Amino acid sequence: QVYLVESGGGLVQPGGSLRLSCKAPRSIFSTFVMYTIEWYRQAPEKERELVASITSDSTTEYADFVKGRFTISRNNSRKTVNLQMNNLEPEDTAVYYCSASAPSRGRYWGQGTQVTVSS
């Protein structure tokens, strides 16, 4: 199995910030620019939900519940996508996953990073 690698999760107080990073596997380094990268999250006993996405031309989209608080960005030279999360709320507590997909190239997932927002 080939995975993306997420990092940057942790415990933060409400109102705090975290920056998640998603690193592509070497097998897609040469074609990384073609991939749409998405961040999902899954809270306990809830379904996985899309948080934000960034396309190959850096068009971004956000779920309504993170608009104005989260920012997704990509660095094609470093093969990474970041998710800057500000003004975090307890409801943001979840395991965050990144996913990479491209036409005719399949989809890759990471194994997740835990974000806990608690005082």
Side-chain angles (χ1 to χ4, degrees):
Q1 284 279 18
V2 176
Y3 296 103
L4 300 159
V5 178
E6 301 100 336
S7 61
L11 173 65
V12 64
Q13 292 187 343
S17 298
L18 283 174
R19 189 184 192 195
L20 305 184
S21 184
C22 173
K23 176 81 172 185
R26 286 189 174 275
S27 60
I28 66 170
F29 271 14
S30 63
T31 56
F32 180 75
V33 296
M34 300 173 60
Y35 283 79
T36 291
I37 310 298
E38 298 167 314
W39 281 98
Y40 290 81
R41 70 185 187 186
Q42 187 166 20
E45 301 182 356
K46 292 190 176 180
E47 293 189 356
R48 189 171 295 190
E49 57 187 358
L50 179 62
V51 175
S53 64
I54 187 165
T55 65
S56 57
D57 65 357
S58 294
T59 299
T60 59
E61 291 190 1
Y62 298 92
D64 286 344
F65 51 79
V66 303
K67 280 182 181 176
R69 300 189 298 125
F70 291 12
T71 304
I72 189 170
S73 61
R74 68 189 298 157
N75 185 323
N76 289 330
S77 62
R78 295 184 178 180
K79 321 304 181 189
T80 58
V81 170
N82 293 325
L83 184 69
Q84 178 67 41
M85 306 188 297
N86 297 328
N87 194 23
L88 284 160
E89 305 169 350
E91 294 74 20
D92 296 317
T93 295
V95 179
Y96 284 70
Y97 300 88
C98 64
S99 175
S101 62
S104 302
R105 295 187 180 272
R107 178 180 289 272
Y108 297 85
W109 286 94
Q111 294 186 294
T113 184
Q114 176 69 47
V115 171
T116 302
V117 184
S118 175
S119 55

